[in-house]
Amino acid sequence: MSEDNANKTLLPQLQINIPEVVAEVTEAFNRYEQALVTNDVSVLDELFFNSPNTIRYGASEESIGYQAIQEFRQGRNPTNLARNLHNTVITTYGHDFAIASTEFTRDTSPNKLGRQQQTWVRTAQGWRIVAAHVSIREQQ
């Protein structure tokens, strides 16, 4: 069975990658990225869903709940945040759910490859991250 047919069978009424939804999530993702590299903590806090169920697994920490994510952001070293994104893929499922995945490198760590994945959900306040995972490994 082809991937397209499998998707239609498993998700018969769910539209994948509706262009206007992809554009909305891409805009939110880019806003997050800009806030991340400029350490705009207020925007970073805004874009995470304010819930005790929101989770961010970082490269060196685990933040369970919105408050823990805020505390991490406030205590984070704001230097050397610039990075270069590679292989960014944003996939939307219907009108209200998306996954954003990207790889990144930093000029300050040329032998490291970072990976980031975010789960976005449309809320009454707009697109918000409900789960995120960041990991870093040695480049091969």
Side-chain angles (χ1 to χ4, degrees), residues 49-68:
F49 186 58
N50 187 348
S51 168
N53 298 310
T54 300
I55 296 174
R56 180 187 179 278
Y57 291 141
S60 61
E61 80 293 329
E62 296 78 34
S63 300
I64 309 297
Y66 180 79
Q67 183 175 350

Side-chain angles (χ1 to χ4, degrees), residues 4-36:
D4 286 340
N5 286 339
N7 285 338
K8 289 176 186 173
T9 302
L10 296 174
L11 307 169
Q13 299 187 13
L14 188 62
Q15 294 178 293
I16 297 174
N17 289 339
I18 300 166
E20 59 270 20
V21 179
V22 173
E24 291 172 7
V25 176
T26 299
E27 182 179 339
F29 174 85
N30 289 337
R31 185 169 177 236
Y32 177 89
E33 183 64 22
Q34 180 63 31
L36 182 70

Side-chain angles (χ1 to χ4, degrees), residues 4-139:
D4 286 340
N5 286 339
N7 285 338
K8 289 176 186 173
T9 302
L10 296 174
L11 307 169
Q13 299 187 13
L14 188 62
Q15 294 178 293
I16 297 174
N17 289 339
I18 300 166
E20 59 270 20
V21 179
V22 173
E24 291 172 7
V25 176
T26 299
E27 182 179 339
F29 174 85
N30 289 337
R31 185 169 177 236
Y32 177 89
E33 183 64 22
Q34 180 63 31
L36 182 70
V37 300
T38 61
N39 201 42
D40 188 338
V41 175
S42 63
V43 172
L44 295 171
D45 286 347
E46 173 193 332
L47 292 176
F48 270 86
F49 186 58
N50 187 348
S51 168
N53 298 310
T54 300
I55 296 174
R56 180 187 179 278
Y57 291 141
S60 61
E61 80 293 329
E62 296 78 34
S63 300
I64 309 297
Y66 180 79
Q67 183 175 350
I69 296 167
Q70 281 187 305
E71 290 169 3
F72 163 75
R73 292 273 182 233
Q74 292 168 359
R76 172 174 84 137
N77 181 347
T79 60
N80 297 320
L81 298 176
R83 62 191 198 164
N84 305 300
L85 300 186
H86 313 278
N87 301 318
T88 301
V89 176
I90 295 176
T91 306
T92 64
Y93 300 88
H95 291 272
D96 303 315
F97 184 84
I99 306 288
S101 305
T102 195
E103 297 172 349
F104 62 90
T105 56
R106 288 194 162 99
D107 294 342
T108 57
S109 303
N111 297 325
K112 303 285 184 178
L113 175 68
R115 286 116 9 126
Q116 173 183 294
Q117 193 163 55
Q118 301 167 328
T119 303
W120 291 81
V121 173
R122 184 192 305 273
T123 71
Q125 294 75 38
W127 286 97
R128 297 295 184 262
I129 300 164
V130 296
H133 189 107
V134 179
S135 61
I136 299 174
R137 67 170 177 81
E138 296 291 324
Q139 290 243 38

